Amino acid sequence: MLSVALVGGLHADARAAAVERLLTTVPGSVALHHDLTAAAGRGTVVRTVRDATGVLSTGETPLVGDCACCALREDLVPELERLADAGLTRLAVVELWDSVEPKAMAEVIAAAGLTVGSVITAVDTALVLPCLGNGDDLAEAGLAAAPTDQRTVADTWARQLEYAPVLAVVDGDEADDEDRALLAQLHPTALRVPLPDGDLAAAALAGFDVEAAAAAQHPACALLPQDADAHGVTTYVWHRRRPFHPQRLYAALEDLCCAAARSRGRFWLADRPDTLLAWDAAGGALCVEPSGPWLASLPDAAWEMVPPVRRAAAALDWDPEHGDRCQHLVFTSPGLDREGLAELLDSCLLTDAEYAAGRTAWQRLPSAFDTLLEV
């Protein structure tokens, strides 16, 4: 039975090393790669299939609406199905192009009825901080997957890193203890397999639950890092119950975004008490998005339609007054000012007098986030 392992990440040399390791250690394995580098100029995406001995076949697929990633999705599944039908391939290693994110590809493959064996992000430890601090648009870096691609290098890299349960790690001479601590704190639950000699084959065939992985990324139930401090790198978990004052938080956003190399979590605003808001920042840029309702705002009958993992996460953090509403933000960075960050965040909460005024008064506060949330 064919198993599919996705190998991605912006670190191309590390990615190539991971693919080579799999091809040389898993009998009956092949690697598929769709090169999106010159897609716009050629009007096509180039596909290569190879094994440990060399290239087996090449082909081209046309762009779909000028979207290279769309062309990849249209071509990838038929190729994998062809390999599965032939019955000669044990492991298909899908080497994702630089800025392609593994989540969408894993879901496409699983939806086609194919088995996802693992998702692996290849990492050069020395490049973790430079990537995480790079706020350039992918288009500026020549890494955009479509003309409308508005992602940045930093946020793309963060999602590639945090989605994968397995990290194939190249730890060269340029990496130091700070780099290693940063990687460990950004994704503490990941299995880290050293390259070039680690046992990546077992990890590639271990099995991957696409639905569970999606749930683990949802801000309501994400497994966020815990407090940590090592080799000059700090992870600070800030957890409060009281809502934010929208204007004061909005005024502090720039300072909060620049306070850490990476921050994420969930929060609530006093003027939007029923909306769970996601916080996702990297490279000095912040994305704030509504992520549905807090469970406490839903009628009891609606709870049956909520995934069990979401209900379980809410139950673990339930408050008698506010239910699952909370501020849960996690900041990770070298040189993090924990005390200054806590003071700034606390200053953005409702004061005692504002809190005592009650929810009717809260909802009359100026909605400073309307533009950011595109309301």
Side-chain angles (χ1 to χ4, degrees), residues 336-362:
L336 190 74
D337 180 3
R338 183 193 296 258
E339 290 73 22
L341 186 55
E343 182 178 349
L344 178 58
L345 287 163
D346 286 340
S347 74
C348 298
L349 297 172
L350 294 185
T351 64
D352 290 344
E354 291 165 342
Y355 184 75
R359 292 193 182 185
T360 300
W362 301 351

Side-chain angles (χ1 to χ4, degrees), residues 65-333:
D66 290 331
C67 174
C69 272
C70 300
L72 188 163
R73 286 192 291 267
E74 290 290 327
D75 189 69
L76 178 60
V77 169
E79 277 298 304
L80 292 173
E81 290 175 337
R82 181 183 63 79
L83 291 171
D85 291 342
L88 301 175
T89 303
R90 180 187 181 195
L91 178 67
V93 182
V94 177
E95 182 189 354
L96 300 176
W97 187 72
D98 295 21
S99 69
V100 174
E101 296 184 28
K103 181 176 184 293
M105 293 300 108
E107 291 173 352
V108 165
I109 292 167
L114 295 161
T115 300
V116 180
S118 187
V119 174
I120 301 165
T121 292
V123 180
D124 183 331
T125 310
L127 298 179
V128 172
L129 184 57
C131 277
L132 203 58
N134 189 339
D136 291 346
D137 291 339
L138 290 175
E140 296 174 5
L143 296 172
T148 56
D149 196 340
Q150 297 182 341
R151 296 174 297 158
T152 69
V153 172
D155 64 43
T156 301
W157 163 239
R159 284 190 294 270
Q160 289 175 333
L161 178 73
E162 293 156 3
Y163 180 75
V166 180
L167 304 180
V169 181
V170 173
D171 195 20
D173 294 338
E174 295 182 1
D176 57 22
D177 287 340
E178 179 183 281
D179 296 321
R180 299 180 190 98
L182 178 59
L183 179 60
Q185 291 183 34
L186 287 170
H187 197 347
T189 63
L191 171 65
R192 293 190 290 278
V193 179
L195 292 175
D197 300 322
D199 185 8
L200 199 56
L205 295 164
F208 182 79
D209 188 328
V210 171
E211 290 186 5
Q217 296 301 305
H218 192 283
C221 43
L223 298 176
L224 299 173
Q226 301 297 307
D227 280 297
D229 199 340
H231 301 291
V233 180
T234 298
T235 293
Y236 173 54
V237 179
W238 184 77
H239 190 278
R240 302 287 188 271
R241 288 292 175 183
R242 187 171 293 196
F244 278 123
H245 186 288
Q247 283 186 314
R248 288 200 294 275
L249 178 61
Y250 190 82
L253 288 183
E254 184 174 354
D255 289 338
L256 291 171
C257 289
C258 296
R262 176 72 170 136
S263 57
R264 52 192 172 123
R266 56 188 180 271
F267 69 102
W268 69 303
L269 297 171
D271 64 320
R272 302 171 187 269
D274 295 337
T275 302
L276 186 159
L277 295 167
W279 177 289
D280 194 307
L286 170 67
C287 177
V288 171
E289 292 182 325
S291 297
W294 294 102
L295 295 194
S297 70
L298 297 176
D300 292 345
W303 279 54
E304 295 182 3
M305 296 181 288
V306 176
V309 65
R310 172 79 189 277
R311 296 199 300 268
L316 288 172
D317 197 28
W318 195 262
D319 178 78
E321 182 178 1
H322 297 304
D324 58 332
R325 298 181 184 91
C326 69
Q327 319 292 8
H328 188 171
L329 301 177
V330 178
F331 298 80
T332 299
S333 188

